[in-house]
Amino acid sequence: MTEVLMPESSSAPSSRREQLATTFEGYRSELDADNERRERLIILSRSTTQLSKKLIFHLHRGATLTSLEARSKNLQEARNKVAEIKINFGKIYDEIRGGINVESYWRWARQVSPGLEEYIEAISFLYYLEHASLIPLSEIQSELSDPTTGQPYVVVTPEDYVLGMSDLTGELMRYATNSLSTGDHEIPLAVCDFVRTVKTYFDGISPAMLYKLSKKQEETTRSLEKIEKVCYALRLRLVEYADRPEILRQMAKRALEDARDREGEGDKPA
Amino acid sequence: MTDSSDRIKSVDDALTSVIGLLETESTLKKTIRESLEPIDDLHRSALAELNKLHSSSYTSHAAICSRTLEIISTAGPHWNNVASLVPEGEYYRYQFALGPPMRNLTTLVALAHFLLHDSLISSTDTAIAMGLPTTLQLTAEDYLQGVIGMVNELPRLSINSVTAQNFTLPTKIASFVNDIFASYSLLNLRNDALRRKFDSLKYDLKRCEDVVYDLTLRGLTRPAV
């Protein structure tokens, strides 16, 4: 069709088309390579998420063990699982470094950060169980760096950290309620203090700074209310039945069930 | 009780420092966004200049395109300013803010270049035309989206040039859009923004060809001037 319409300039477009084809084949290989790398990183990120979730379940199982020895064995096993996840981050690093330029981490941060957030949640839970405190960002970062060169595998941003901590409050709520059945009354009280502090700080972060946090803050508020209810019941019973741990346990359990009932049907099970 | 207050102190420290980092980062993002405003202004005046194509005679097209490119070429110092704000090696961290103005300028540069030279400007030359320093790169993705932005403008230009009794330009446009469509068809696109933009190309191509059809039917495809 173009041949008929443009007899005077028919040679120009055909050479133009060939030239464009060469250029676009270049773009094609660039885009293809990017897409493949993106897929591989998503898979690695998902596997990090899975391993981190398993670690969290493992920690919950251990946290309710009564014997101190069994609990420290559980934490030891948890450290082995952390080592396994770190290998995954090493793979992510290799994958990113295979990119064209050094600044590639930021190019792929969006693919990597879901797994990273889940890992932060898991490692901060483990840290809490070990130290009853909050793991500093710098410690997470140094653990996710090459042990010899100090080169970070991934960059732990303050956003990743805050979002991971926000999820931690949910795990701690579960930990606090589960600990009722072991009869350790100090745990819910300490967790309550801790979660309240974290929540207060996060309330100060404006949605303009970190939009994703506002949704998570609602969840944190609910978790905190549950913990507070448990603590309230616990405190009353402690005053009343300090010398009879059997009854205390029973009552705490009932308070917990109460809290669960009031959650309503729409909520996820605690 | 002291144990608990120690614990809260360490929590305080960790959170205070993180919130400090968040604030620094959020300020930087804001500064970078503000530094892009003069470029947006430039884009608007270049766009206003280039829009004259639709209402001017064919003879002034070249002058309009040259003026547009001139306006865009003054973006250099503004880009340098932007580049000085982006920490080294963190270009992609702020790409969400840098990409859109680059795409917009690509659209204008490519359109002016096409009317002047009847060819598609390369990504490297586009970056030079908009005065990008080497520390800021025009990614393939942004370039390819910007070029489609140009194609989206061409059916309208084709129609308006018929109104202005310029019967050569529609043929030139249709042939160009055809070549571009063929080129984009070589890419393996995934389901993203570029893919959706590519899907719009075939409608533009059809509209451009329809104009040529109308002209052919009336024997108007010979150069009029």
Side-chain angles (χ1 to χ4, degrees), chain A residues 56-174:
Chain A
I56 292 169
F57 279 119
H58 173 84
L59 291 172
H60 276 304
R61 283 191 293 271
T64 46
L65 294 172
T66 36
S67 105
L68 209 68
E69 198 183 325
R71 249 187 281 178
S72 78
K73 184 168 170 269
N74 175 278
L75 291 179
Q76 193 47 52
E77 284 163 358
R79 280 285 161 195
N80 295 339
K81 287 180 193 287
V82 170
E84 199 185 333
I85 301 174
K86 279 190 202 163
I87 293 173
N88 227 8
F89 278 108
K91 285 185 199 157
I92 287 175
Y93 176 61
D94 290 340
E95 188 59 69
I96 289 173
R97 211 173 36 163
I100 308 146
N101 45 46
V102 279
E103 63 184 3
S104 300
Y105 174 72
W106 296 107
R107 179 154 196 193
W108 306 109
R110 226 184 321 158
Q111 277 72 42
V112 176
S113 74
L116 178 56
E117 264 168 44
E118 199 71 30
Y119 169 77
I120 293 173
E121 180 184 347
I123 193 75
S124 59
F125 187 29
L126 171 57
Y127 189 91
Y128 184 87
L129 293 176
E130 285 172 343
H131 305 90
S133 187
L134 186 64
I135 187 168
L137 188 149
S138 55
E139 187 158 339
I140 300 179
Q141 180 65 77
S142 67
E143 281 200 44
L144 289 184
S145 303
D146 190 297
T148 49
T149 64
Q151 170 73 32
Y153 291 145
V154 294
V155 179
V156 183
T157 66
E159 283 95 336
D160 294 326
Y161 180 80
V162 166
L163 294 174
M165 287 315 133
S166 185
D167 290 336
L168 169 68
T169 59
E171 299 310 328
L172 288 180
M173 183 270 292
R174 258 154 252 167

Side-chain angles (χ1 to χ4, degrees), chain A residues 238-262:
Chain A
L238 274 175
V239 173
E240 228 173 339
Y241 296 100
D243 48 344
R244 300 170 68 184
E246 270 276 322
I247 296 179
L248 262 177
R249 246 201 302 283
Q250 293 247 330
M251 296 204 145
K253 241 182 183 167
R254 218 173 301 149
L256 176 59
E257 275 152 20
D258 259 21
R260 277 182 186 153
D261 285 346
R262 263 177 252 142

Side-chain angles (χ1 to χ4, degrees), chain A residues 5-6 13 16-17 20 24 27-28 32 35 38 103 106-107 132-133 159 161-162 190 194 201 209, chain B residues 7 10 12 18 25-26 89 91-93 118 120 123 137 143 171 175-176 179 183 186 188 190 212 216:
Chain A
L5 290 175
M6 308 184 59
R16 179 177 68 197
R17 185 178 283 215
L20 279 175
F24 273 73
Y27 289 132
R28 177 171 63 198
D32 283 354
N35 285 342
R38 181 179 294 110
E103 63 184 3
W106 296 107
R107 179 154 196 193
S133 187
E159 283 95 336
Y161 180 80
V162 166
F194 181 88
Y201 271 93
M209 272 201 288
Chain B
R7 195 169 50 228
S10 84
D12 278 338
V18 160
E25 214 189 286
S26 145
Y91 167 73
Y92 279 101
R93 192 175 190 177
D118 195 19
L120 178 64
S123 144
Q137 50 206 124
Y143 167 75
T171 313
S175 149
F176 184 55
D179 284 355
S183 307
L186 294 172
N188 303 315
R190 60 194 185 96
V212 174
T216 315

Side-chain angles (χ1 to χ4, degrees), chain B residues 32-124:
Chain B
I32 289 178
R33 264 200 215 101
E34 281 166 5
S35 75
L36 288 165
E37 279 167 16
I39 293 170
D40 285 338
D41 291 343
L42 262 177
H43 168 255
R44 269 189 293 276
S45 31
L47 180 64
E49 180 63 34
L50 200 59
N51 267 333
K52 291 182 188 161
L53 285 175
H54 293 284
S55 52
S56 307
S57 81
Y58 185 55
T59 47
S60 52
H61 277 189
I64 293 170
C65 291
S66 302
R67 270 200 301 276
T68 305
L69 290 176
E70 240 166 68
I71 296 171
I72 292 173
S73 72
T74 62
H78 300 303
W79 284 122
N80 286 337
N81 182 31
V82 177
S84 71
L85 295 169
V86 177
E88 205 189 329
E90 297 189 8
Y91 167 73
Y92 279 101
R93 192 175 190 177
Y94 302 97
Q95 218 232 343
F96 71 94
L98 301 170
M102 287 189 191
R103 290 200 285 272
N104 291 339
L105 290 180
T106 300
T107 298
L108 301 187
V109 167
L111 183 52
H113 182 91
F114 160 63
L115 289 170
L116 289 171
H117 307 287
D118 195 19
S119 67
L120 178 64
I121 190 169
S122 73
S123 144
T124 321

